[in-house]
Amino acid sequence: MPFQLISIAVFLPFAGFLINGLLGSRIKSEKAIGLIGSGTVGISFVIACAMFFDMLSSPPDERSHIVEIFKWIAAGSVNVGLAYQIDQLSILMMLIVTGVGFLIHIYSIGYMHGDPGFWRFFAYLNLFIFAMLNLIMADNFLLLFLGWEGVGLCSYLLIGFWYDRKFDKGTTGDAAKKAFIVNRIGDFGFLIGMFLIFEMFGTLAFKDVFNQASTLSVGNTTVMWMTLALFLGATGKSAQIPLFVWLPDAMAGPTPVSALIHAATMVTAGIYMVARCAVLFALAPTTLMVVAVVGATTALFAASIGLVQNDIKKVLAYSTVSQLGYMFLALGVGAFAAGLFHVLTHAFFKALLFLGSGAVIHAMHEEQDIQKMGGLKSHLPITYKTFLVGTIAIAGIPPLAGFFSKDEILWKAFSGGYWPLWVMGLIGAGLTAFYMFRLLSLTFDGKPRWDQHHLHPHEAPKTMAIPLIVLAGLSIVGGFVGIPHSLGGGNAIEQWLDPVFEAANRKMFLAPHAVVPLEYVLMIASVLVALGGIWLARTWYLKNTEIPEQLASRYRGMYNLLLNKYKVDEVYDAVIVNPIQKMSEMFLWKIFDVKIIDGIVNGIPKLIGVFSGVARKIQTGVTQNYALAFVLGVVLIIGFLITK
């Protein structure tokens, strides 16, 4: 019975969008608007919980359900329904999206207090959740793509919410356009992949596609190109090399938006899509290798940029790119459940960290430079303690959530024979611990570096503090669902997801990993590397504070390269953006648009005008002229007939 409530759970946020979007400007009460926006997502979360517990009490082979709302498209061989697939994977994602999304809605009530676009903000948030739910609950590629595009539109609206504010070299509106355009490149790949799927399998329904795919042999060339195209879409949505450049700029929006995009919704779409298509990717070892290499490279690359950034949200943004890299590394080595496990734990601690940074920015009157902070822990005790929990969790220190999920990924990479990727992941773990504790130290510890005469930072209101406390609790205990067998746990989340990935695992011939001492050694190594990063950050930024400046001065070139994010944006501008812009100005605009298109559009009326001018001279309005023309015509016709 709870499964029949899926349409209510999905469409409730859409109802919230309609109510706040159409009537929000007339509802003067922020409390009422916030209640509508948060309540609709909260009820969806309750329904998701009911479905989860019902599923939990059912045998594994009876946990998957498809609920069709209505026939959507029926044309020729194309039959697509508006239908939702409820199984172990989609319910996990739904719990994350609605649960963390609900907390972010609650937080937003306090954060956006007094904003003239308060009602509009909640309308956009609700629309975002609605689009994301369609993406993760769809039972076919077309509905998934509809949700995929929906979250792209909502990210554009939310990143550019304060569209006229300055951001980097432009405005927040420019950052929104950047996110929108970069994602369209990835979407092109997704569309190609979808066309190939329909061409090969004759359907877009997951069940039919995956059933047919499970009969194919590993190494199918068409499937390889199909999955590479799908992965291109995933690199755009989940910000991987080479399409990661939009995500750091996504922080141009209000901080709850950053938390929503970076933790619970949009960036996880690529991970979810690859995991949902696990059996297709299992048929293409080349694609899996590409996924793993891109993931590991992105994890290391983004972590190195985070080492020297001074904007509190920018550090967290590159951290997100890096953590998404770990998730793709897991998918690439065939550890699909481990990748989803990290999606879960990352949603908790990354939402916590972003909302914590929002509390700091709120207290510091929109200041985001951590070099101008310091000593805030006594002024913001709740924010500090919860931020500390999130920092320890992402650093991978046991027993917090990030340790279990990240260690599972590293173990699966090493035990699968991908030891070079394991080394990259291990180095990335050390860098993560370093830059996160650098961020914590410069923000909350040491002496204040802000104007104490004019600034009086104070703790966030309850609507902001309570979500921080809840997320901190989840960041502590969230990893317990994935305690590995080697530590006496049952890895419950892997067991939960096993039926979804069973066909893919059969294709990859993955043997169950035995408990070996090597796993303990690797576990200890990753913890020691993380502790080393923490020790270094605390030493350099709290005790020997002259060391970072000396290193920056001695290695000025490398420091500037990291500070300027390897100048990837500048390279893209020089190689792609500027040439296209110049070609547009010189040819597409001044020649093709102005001379050819405008020439045709303006030339046709002019030509008609010339002919009309001639014809107008014939149309004199004098009856005798018409009679004379008529007679002359008759004479000419008769003459022609006689002489013929």
Side-chain angles (χ1 to χ4, degrees):
M1 184 61 185
F3 304 113
Q4 300 304 321
L5 300 177
I6 182 63
S7 56
I8 296 175
V10 171
F11 280 90
L12 263 177
F14 186 69
F17 159 71
L18 290 178
I19 296 170
N20 277 334
L22 297 174
L23 305 174
S25 59
R26 298 178 186 174
I27 303 173
K28 302 299 181 187
S29 168
E30 288 187 355
K31 190 176 179 181
I33 293 170
L35 192 62
I36 293 167
S38 308
T40 51
V41 180
I43 294 172
S44 295
F45 175 65
V46 171
I47 294 174
C49 288
M51 290 193 289
F52 169 71
F53 286 114
D54 190 273
M55 199 181 286
L56 204 60
S57 61
S58 306
D61 56 348
E62 296 177 10
R63 288 174 178 172
S64 182
H65 302 267
I66 292 178
V67 179
E68 184 173 277
I69 310 301
F70 57 80
K71 287 285 182 189
W72 182 16
I73 299 173
S77 59
V78 181
N79 282 289
V80 180
L82 185 70
Y84 298 116
Q85 178 164 337
I86 307 164
D87 62 6
Q88 293 89 333
L89 175 58
S90 61
I91 201 69
L92 174 68
M93 291 298 297
M94 189 174 179
L95 287 169
I96 295 172
V97 171
T98 55
V100 177
F102 173 66
L103 293 172
I104 292 172
H105 274 69
I106 296 290
Y107 178 94
S108 301
I109 296 173
Y111 190 87
M112 296 301 289
H113 171 63
D115 192 286
F118 189 89
W119 59 274
R120 188 163 52 89
F121 184 76
F122 273 87
Y124 291 165
L125 283 187
N126 274 184
L127 187 62
F128 205 135
I129 297 290
F130 169 69
M132 191 66 196
L133 287 177
N134 274 282
L135 192 159
I136 58 174
M137 303 307 295
D139 94 319
N140 59 75
F141 282 97
L142 197 58
L143 186 57
L144 187 154
F145 188 71
L146 190 72
W148 187 276
E149 289 302 298
V151 294
L153 169 66
C154 294
S155 69
Y156 170 76
L157 295 172
L158 285 167
I159 294 169
F161 183 76
W162 292 322
Y163 54 87
D164 54 349
R165 290 194 182 185
K166 289 185 177 179
F167 177 76
D168 281 350
K169 298 175 183 176
T171 64
T172 57
D174 295 325
K177 280 191 288 186
K178 184 176 180 181
F180 192 79
I181 292 169
V182 172
N183 270 283
R184 297 294 75 71
I185 299 171
D187 293 352
F188 173 72
F190 193 168
L191 277 173
I192 296 296
M194 208 159 61
F195 291 150
L196 288 174
I197 287 170
F198 187 75
E199 176 66 23
M200 186 170 186
F201 300 108
T203 177
L204 290 173
F206 292 152
K207 188 177 179 183
D208 297 333
V209 170
F210 300 150
N211 282 343
Q212 291 184 51
S214 62
T215 64
L216 299 176
S217 302
V218 175
N220 186 290
T221 306
T222 307
V223 175
M224 183 193 74
W225 288 111
M226 182 191 299
T227 48
L228 282 174
L230 291 175
F231 181 60
L232 176 62
T235 58
K237 200 63 81 182
S238 294
Q240 296 295 286
I241 292 174
L243 300 178
F244 69 95
V245 291
W246 69 270
L247 190 57
D249 286 7
M251 65 184 179
T255 302
V257 174
S258 305
L260 195 62
I261 291 177
H262 286 245
T265 57
M266 188 165 165
V267 297
T268 62
I271 312 290
Y272 168 78
M273 187 264 282
V274 173
R276 174 58 77 190
C277 301
V279 67
L280 292 176
F281 282 81
L283 293 170
T286 305
T287 307
L288 280 179
M289 182 53 74
V290 171
V291 173
V293 171
V294 168
T297 307
T298 305
L300 193 56
F301 180 80
S304 66
I305 296 175
L307 294 174
V308 298
Q309 299 303 312
N310 290 319
D311 186 308
I312 186 170
K313 288 175 68 177
K314 195 169 281 187
V315 177
L316 295 178
Y318 280 102
S319 159
T320 301
V321 177
S322 178
Q323 296 302 307
L324 291 167
Y326 281 100
M327 297 171 203
F328 276 109
L329 170 60
L331 300 178
V333 300
F336 298 104
L340 268 297
F341 182 25
H342 203 53
V343 169
L344 173 71
T345 60
H346 180 261
F348 297 150
F349 57 69
K350 187 47 63 68
L352 170 62
L353 291 168
F354 260 111
L355 296 185
S357 73
V360 171
I361 295 167
H362 196 266
M364 296 296 290
H365 293 195
E366 304 304 317
E367 180 60 68
Q368 295 186 195
D369 189 344
I370 56 177
Q371 298 290 355
K372 298 177 181 175
M373 297 182 186
L376 287 175
K377 67 179 180 183
S378 59
H379 301 274
L380 311 172
I382 296 175
T383 303
Y384 167 68
K385 290 172 185 172
T386 54
F387 202 94
L388 176 63
V389 169
T391 305
I392 297 173
I394 194 174
I397 302 300
L400 274 71
F403 163 73
F404 293 107
S405 55
K406 190 183 292 182
D407 191 73
E408 183 72 2
I409 293 171
L410 294 177
W411 165 240
K412 289 292 172 66
F414 189 91
S415 60
Y418 304 92
W419 66 266
L421 302 181
W422 172 80
V423 171
M424 294 170 72
L426 189 68
I427 296 172
L431 297 181
T432 303
F434 175 84
Y435 69 66
M436 284 307 303
F437 271 85
R438 170 183 178 266
L439 175 66
L440 182 83
S441 304
L442 289 175
T443 304
F444 293 100
D445 296 306
K447 294 179 181 177
R449 298 181 298 280
W450 35 275
D451 185 354
Q452 298 182 62
H453 297 292
H454 296 93
L455 276 178
H456 304 286
H458 55 81
E459 192 56 89
K462 286 183 180 177
T463 50
M464 294 169 65
I466 291 173
L468 293 178
I469 296 169
V470 174
L471 286 167
L474 291 169
S475 298
I476 294 171
V477 302
F480 295 164
V481 297
I483 297 177
H485 297 283
S486 57
L487 293 179
N491 205 338
I493 192 166
E494 187 178 70
Q495 289 185 28
W496 174 257
L497 293 170
D498 260 350
V500 180
F501 302 127
E502 188 180 359
N505 291 338
R506 279 203 306 270
K507 291 292 177 187
M508 292 185 293
F509 303 107
L510 290 178
H513 298 294
V515 177
V516 292
L518 180 60
E519 186 172 355
Y520 294 117
V521 174
L522 298 181
M523 209 177 282
I524 293 169
S526 72
V527 174
L528 288 177
V529 166
L531 288 174
I534 294 170
W535 175 80
L536 209 58
R538 301 295 280 183
T539 303
W540 286 6
Y541 293 97
L542 293 179
K543 295 178 181 175
N544 304 321
T545 53
E546 71 284 357
I547 293 180
E549 292 181 7
Q550 291 172 356
L551 288 173
S553 177
R554 183 179 300 174
Y555 303 103
R556 179 62 60 188
M558 177 57 73
Y559 176 78
N560 285 334
L561 192 63
L562 293 177
L563 190 64
N564 291 300
K565 301 154 283 182
Y566 293 103
K567 298 196 174 185
V568 175
D569 280 328
E570 287 77 1
V571 171
Y572 280 1
D573 284 344
V575 176
I576 300 173
V577 178
N578 291 337
I580 291 177
Q581 199 167 6
K582 285 182 180 176
M583 186 182 75
S584 300
E585 289 178 359
M586 298 302 295
F587 175 72
L588 293 179
W589 172 39
K590 291 184 178 177
I591 296 177
F592 188 76
D593 191 17
V594 173
K595 294 189 176 179
I596 297 177
I597 299 295
D598 287 357
I600 293 172
V601 171
N602 296 327
I604 290 174
K606 285 181 180 176
L607 191 64
I608 293 173
V610 171
F611 284 116
S612 300
V614 174
R616 191 168 59 245
K617 292 178 181 176
I618 300 172
Q619 301 294 323
T620 60
V622 179
T623 308
Q624 292 87 338
N625 292 346
Y626 296 154
L628 178 62
F630 174 76
V631 171
L632 287 174
V634 171
V635 169
L636 286 173
I637 291 171
I638 293 173
F640 173 74
L641 293 174
I642 292 172
T643 57
K644 183 179 178 182

